[in-house]
């Protein structure tokens, strides 16, 4: 049975180009955009595989092509032995998908949203209700089951949408920023539910995120996307190994940086500035010298806070040449 | 593993073997080329089994039930507006027509107007909004047939019109002293006119390039049903009478108007309703096609 081989999802040379739009009445036109520009990936069975990148990197376009919502211009998508470019309608029978929009469910109660989605995933009524009850209990949603989604807070609504993605089991889950707006309790419920399915049924998860902390803690492997290309693909630890020789120094100034101090002026050339905050990636001895310079002498009076840390995936992204700002640390 | 390696492994055959992942990818690519292409059911042992599709009737009823519940949750206040609007029109028209064919046209036109307002106008807006906001993705990533989604929503919106249409017809009959004895025909008029108008509304909403255009088309369709349905046909210029004949709601209005006779011409009523049914079948088929087109971009 070759579907038991470990590659669940194989993507090869996926290309999707959005055509140039003509400008109208004052608004400038947009040039042609390659949203996915030759992406190749292999996702293994039972893996939590992440797509990390800032907004506009092509994550959602890639996911839409994997779930049969969008036809690529070129390339192939193979999920569990099925060619999804040729047969996009099979995607819904292999993949449970959580998109970013909930408008189709907003006016339904949590309970009816989960039940209806289960029935539309092909479950008989009785089974849809049983799975609905089990999933709502598992995620701690039983108390708000009778409330309509649009009356819930953003995080609760997101959790309810996540619940609908679990009713009607699928071997592959594609989750597009599932934890947006959630509090820590809800996030834990999501990752516990994902882990349980992976341990019990070997479920494979493809996760879209722009949150580097989440990527580091929950992902087995991660592909870093930048302008429609995969610029790196490895385990979070393996990726961080690439910048292991560096230390991340964050400086926060009280009002403004004391540029009259020569050491500080020199640091400015290598710092990433955002307001009062400077972020520097330095070799360990450089970092020591920098900390000594700002914590002693004239500069210290202007310093509000500083931290030294080992690099995060954000540093990897920047070291690999990522230019956009838009990764979130939360 | 360096980024360029993983990205290139699939493109350049010579690069195979650099990483375990890339090797696996090539093996499966080779299998794909060797194996004969089986259209729908993949050969056992090669591909994972597919989960079953949702069957048409159960999924249609699930969509219908979910849509009906929206009326309770969202309390679509426009349902009441539709009834008040129609009753108001009848009160106004009482000063213009008194009894006879004019009164029948006004009462049946106002009743069918409720159907046009909800099934055509509101459904066009709903689908337009769902499409613009990306809400169609939810249905498009479930193994449900397009017809089940379109028919379930159209059926629910047609059902929303039942109380308003019935109230309007009864109030109108009382206002103009028309007989109530044949009002049971509403049981055929509402679903058939509802199918025709909801099909049009769904098609408008799913075909319109932008959400505002969907709203505009829905409003225009309802305005046409208002003007051409409520005003007695005898007083209209010839050109407008042709337009009236092209509007599907007209046949629902005529069918209902004929039943206010002491001895209705049932074959003519049946013919009018058959036109509604035919338009319903065609427009719902168009809406289903439009849904399919809108769901995969």
């Amino acid at each position: 049975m070759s579907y038991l081989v470990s590659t669940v999802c194989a993507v090869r040379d996926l290309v999707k180009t959005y055509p140039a739009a003509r400008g109208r009445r004052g608004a400038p036109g947009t040039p042609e955009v390659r949203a996915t520009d030759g992406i190749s990936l292999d996702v293994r069975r039972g893996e939590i595989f992440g797509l990390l990148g800032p907004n506009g990197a092509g994550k959602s376009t890639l996911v839409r092509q994997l779930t049969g919502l969008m036809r690529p211009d070129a390339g192939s998508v193979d999920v569990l032995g099925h060619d999804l470019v040729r047969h996009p309608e099979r995607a819904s029978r292999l993949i449970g998908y959580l998109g970013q929009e909930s408008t189709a469910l907003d006016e339904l109660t949590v309970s009816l949203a989960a039940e209806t989605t289960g029935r539309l995933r092909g479950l008989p009524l009785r089974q849809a209700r049983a799975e609905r009850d089990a999933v709502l209990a598992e995620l701690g949603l039983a108390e708000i089951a009778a409330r309509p989604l649009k009356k819930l807070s953003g995080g609760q609504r997101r959790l309810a949408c996540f619940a609908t993605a679990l009713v009607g089991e699928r071997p592959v889950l594609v989750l597009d920023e599932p934890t947006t707006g959630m509090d820590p309790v809800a996030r834990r419920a999501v990752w516990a539910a994902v882990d349980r399915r992976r341990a019990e049924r070997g479920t494979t998860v493809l996760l879209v995120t722009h949150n580097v902390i989440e990527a580091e803690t929950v992902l087995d492997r991660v592909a870093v996307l930048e302008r429609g290309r995969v610029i790196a693909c490895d385990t979070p630890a393996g990726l961080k190994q690439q910048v292991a020789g560096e230390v991340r120094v964050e400086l926060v100034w009280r009002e403004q940086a004391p540029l009259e101090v020569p050491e500080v002026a020199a640091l400015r050339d290598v710092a990433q500035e955002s307001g009062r905050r400077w972020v520097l990636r330095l070799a360990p001895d450089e970092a020591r010298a920098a900390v000594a310079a700002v914590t002693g002498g004239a500069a210290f009076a202007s310093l509000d806070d500083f931290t030294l840390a080992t690099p995060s995936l954000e540093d990897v992204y920047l070291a690999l040449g990522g230019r956009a700002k838009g990764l979130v640390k939360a | 593993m360096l980024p360029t390696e993983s990205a290139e492994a699939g493109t350049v055959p010579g690069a195979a073997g650099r990483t375990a992942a890339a090797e696996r990818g090539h093996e499966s690519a080779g299998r794909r080329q060797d194996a004969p292409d089986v259209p729908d059911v993949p050969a056992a042992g090669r591909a994972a089994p597919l989960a079953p599709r949702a069957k048409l009737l159960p999924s249609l009823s699930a969509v219908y039930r979910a849509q009906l519940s929206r009326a309770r949750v969202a309390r679509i206040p426009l349902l009441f507006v539709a009834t008040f609007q129609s009753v108001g029109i009848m009160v106004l028209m009482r000063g213009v027509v008194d009894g006879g064919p004019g009164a029948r046209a006004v009462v049946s036109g106002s009743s069918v107007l409720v159907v046009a307002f909800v099934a055509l106008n509101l459904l066009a807006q709903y689908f337009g909004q769902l499409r613009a906001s990306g809400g169609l993705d939810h249905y498009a990533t479930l193994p449900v047939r397009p017809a089940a989604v379109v028919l379930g929503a159209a059926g629910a919106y047609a059902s929303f019109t039942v109380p308003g249409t019935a109230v309007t017809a009864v109030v109108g009959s009382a206002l103009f002293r028309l007989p109530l004895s044949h009002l049971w025909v509403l049981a055929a008029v509402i679903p058939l006119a509802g199918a025709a108008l909801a099909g049009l509304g769904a098609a408008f909403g799913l075909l319109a390039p932008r959400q505002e255009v969907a709203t505009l088309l829905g409003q225009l369709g309802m305005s046409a049903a208002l003007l051409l349905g409520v005003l007695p046909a005898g007083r209209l210029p010839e050109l407008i009478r042709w337009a009236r004949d092209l509007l599907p709601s007209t046949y629902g209005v005529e069918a209902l108007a004929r039943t206010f006779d002491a001895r209705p011409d049932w074959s003519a009523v049946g013919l009018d309703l058959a036109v509604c049914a035919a338009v319903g079948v065609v427009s719902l088929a168009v809406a289903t096609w439009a849904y399919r087109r809108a769901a995969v971009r």
Side-chain angles (χ1 to χ4, degrees):
Chain A
M1 298 275 258
S2 65
Y3 63 82
L4 294 177
V5 296
S6 65
T7 300
V8 163
C9 169
V11 175
R12 290 290 172 272
D13 309 318
L14 213 56
V15 175
K16 176 72 191 182
T17 309
Y18 291 117
R22 263 188 313 164
R24 20 174 132 173
R25 281 193 214 160
T30 52
E32 190 179 87
V33 178
R34 280 208 152 190
T36 46
D37 191 0
I39 288 184
S40 298
L41 295 171
D42 285 286
V43 182
R44 300 170 197 150
R45 183 177 152 85
E47 189 169 54
I48 301 186
F49 187 94
L51 299 172
L52 177 72
N55 293 330
K59 304 180 303 264
S60 289
T61 305
L62 173 57
V63 159
R64 294 180 66 80
Q65 295 173 84
L66 297 182
T67 51
L69 286 171
M70 186 185 272
R71 272 178 197 277
D73 299 333
S76 68
V77 176
D78 188 286
V79 173
L80 290 164
H82 297 272
D83 177 352
L84 293 188
V85 175
R86 183 175 293 189
H87 305 288
E89 76 286 352
R90 290 187 191 165
S92 62
R93 300 162 70 185
L94 296 164
I95 297 172
Y97 172 63
L98 171 65
Q100 292 193 13
E101 281 302 329
S102 66
T103 37
L105 302 172
D106 271 347
E107 283 152 351
L108 307 185
T109 62
V110 175
S111 160
L112 190 58
E115 179 191 323
T116 305
T117 307
R119 293 194 68 190
L120 299 186
R121 220 170 250 134
L123 298 183
L125 180 61
R126 191 175 294 217
Q127 196 184 343
R129 289 190 174 158
E131 287 202 23
R132 167 200 74 189
D133 293 340
V135 168
L136 294 188
E138 179 183 6
L139 295 175
L141 288 168
E143 277 179 25
I144 55 168
R147 291 175 60 189
L149 263 74
K150 71 177 200 181
K151 301 266 169 74
L152 301 177
S153 72
Q156 283 178 319
R157 191 184 315 157
R158 200 76 193 123
L159 191 58
C161 290
F162 176 68
T164 67
L166 299 183
V167 180
E169 191 196 330
R170 291 287 185 266
V172 181
L173 289 174
V174 174
L175 310 174
D176 195 343
E177 303 190 356
T179 55
T180 307
M182 283 187 190
D183 63 19
V185 178
R187 281 173 197 237
R188 270 199 296 279
V190 168
W191 301 127
V194 165
D195 268 339
R196 194 167 304 129
R197 277 156 188 75
R198 175 160 72 149
E200 290 171 6
R201 304 164 203 172
T203 305
T204 306
V205 180
L206 191 68
L207 176 78
V208 177
T209 182
H210 59 223
N211 182 330
V212 287
I213 302 293
E214 195 164 85
E216 285 179 28
T217 48
V218 304
L219 298 179
D220 297 316
R221 285 196 308 143
V222 56
V224 183
L225 264 67
E226 164 81 359
R227 299 184 186 207
R229 290 179 161 272
V230 176
I231 58 172
C233 180
D234 203 342
T235 60
L239 284 178
K240 287 202 282 185
Q241 196 66 42
Q242 297 187 8
V243 289
E246 293 178 340
V247 175
R248 177 191 176 95
V249 180
E250 265 190 58
L251 305 173
V252 183
W253 304 105
R254 284 185 197 280
E255 277 159 16
Q256 57 188 38
L259 293 174
E260 65 280 4
V261 180
E263 290 92 337
V264 175
L267 286 178
R268 187 182 192 178
D269 298 335
V270 290
Q272 244 211 330
E273 293 181 52
S274 52
R276 299 185 295 126
R277 179 184 301 266
W278 288 14
V279 177
L280 305 107
R281 289 185 291 114
L282 301 169
D285 51 337
E286 290 173 338
R288 262 193 300 278
V291 170
V294 298
T295 53
F300 189 61
S302 308
L303 192 64
D304 188 28
D305 191 15
F306 77 95
T307 50
L308 283 178
T310 52
S312 70
L313 280 182
E314 185 184 17
D315 301 295
V316 177
Y317 168 75
L318 293 171
L320 289 166
R323 272 160 294 187
K325 294 178 183 173
L327 292 178
V328 176
K329 288 168 64 184
Chain B
M1 175 161 68
L2 283 172
T4 44
E5 280 181 350
S6 75
E8 280 170 9
T11 43
V12 188
R18 273 197 235 168
T19 65
E23 267 176 21
R24 263 194 300 278
H26 274 273
E27 276 167 27
S28 70
R31 265 202 310 278
R32 268 204 304 280
Q33 281 158 12
D34 298 338
D37 239 321
V38 186
D40 198 40
V41 186
R46 198 177 79 84
L50 295 166
R53 280 200 190 92
K55 293 198 181 82
L56 181 65
L57 284 179
S59 51
L60 197 159
S61 81
V63 173
Y64 177 79
R65 206 174 135 236
Q67 290 289 343
L68 266 198
S69 87
R70 288 180 57 234
R72 196 159 50 86
V73 170
R75 293 192 192 283
I76 305 182
L78 294 170
L79 298 181
F80 299 100
V81 174
T83 315
F84 292 141
Q85 172 183 273
S86 286
V87 171
I89 287 168
M90 290 190 300
V91 171
L92 280 176
M93 292 299 283
R94 212 155 72 110
V96 184
V97 295
D98 37 31
R104 295 170 195 185
V106 168
V107 173
S108 51
S110 302
S111 304
V112 175
L113 178 62
V114 178
V115 183
F117 187 99
V118 176
L120 198 161
N121 184 20
L122 294 188
L123 188 58
Q125 290 187 32
Y126 174 71
F127 270 126
Q129 180 227 343
L130 206 58
R131 185 177 167 210
S133 66
L136 280 184
D137 289 358
H138 178 74
Y139 293 113
T141 51
L142 296 171
V144 56
R145 286 180 202 221
V149 178
V150 171
L151 290 176
Y157 273 73
S159 306
F160 291 156
T161 70
V162 170
T165 310
V167 167
T168 306
V170 170
V171 170
S173 301
L175 268 178
F176 289 90
R177 297 173 201 286
L178 295 173
L180 293 167
S181 50
H182 296 310
L183 273 189
W184 55 263
V185 81
L186 282 175
V189 169
I190 293 176
L192 292 175
L197 293 169
L200 274 186
F204 283 167
L206 291 166
L207 286 173
R210 290 206 314 265
Q211 187 181 354
E212 302 78 37
V213 178
T215 306
L216 185 74
L217 287 174
Q219 297 275 8
L220 282 177
M222 190 198 65
S223 303
L226 168 65
L227 293 173
L228 304 179
V230 174
L231 299 179
R235 304 186 187 181
L236 296 174
E238 191 160 1
L239 194 69
I240 306 227
R241 250 187 288 175
W242 284 355
R244 186 175 179 275
D245 289 346
L246 285 176
L247 199 70
S249 65
T250 302
Y251 298 90
V253 174
E254 301 241 304
L256 183 56
R258 287 181 208 281
T259 60
F260 287 122
D261 288 343
R263 281 187 172 178
D265 178 355
W266 290 112
S267 60
V269 171
L271 197 64
D272 284 331
L273 291 177
V275 173
C276 282
V279 173
V281 168
V282 171
S283 64
L284 286 166
V286 170
T288 302
W289 169 80
Y291 167 90
R292 223 185 278 264
R293 182 173 154 276
V296 178
R297 278 174 286 181

